[in-house]
Amino acid sequence: MKSAKFAIDTLVMLQNYTAGNLPKELDDYLTETLNNLRMNYADEADKREEQKDEQE
């Protein structure tokens, strides 16, 4: 999870750094990739929370 968070943060930083300098296709791809990573991260965090609750 730490590695996933780091990857997301790095891509956000890259997105901010390249704002307005990327062709639309690449900007859209980066945005889509970030959205997918964030959704997957949230799903995994929810799964871990559910597992933690079940163990208690």
Side-chain angles (χ1 to χ4, degrees):
M1 290 295 284
K2 289 180 184 180
S3 296
K5 175 86 169 93
F6 179 76
I8 292 168
D9 290 344
T10 301
L11 288 175
V12 168
M13 184 177 61
L14 180 65
Q15 186 179 43
N16 292 335
Y17 184 75
T18 60
N21 296 320
L22 290 178
K24 181 169 176 27
E25 296 85 18
L26 289 177
D27 186 52
D28 290 347
Y29 180 74
L30 181 55
T31 299
E32 183 179 341
T33 300
L34 275 168
N35 288 339
N36 288 336
L37 287 172
R38 287 172 175 146
M39 288 179 14
N40 289 335
Y41 184 89
D43 287 344
E44 287 300 317
D46 287 345
K47 286 179 189 176
R48 288 177 181 239
E49 187 65 31
E50 288 175 8
Q51 288 175 350
K52 182 181 173 186
D53 290 342
E54 289 175 1
Q55 290 176 353
E56 293 176 352

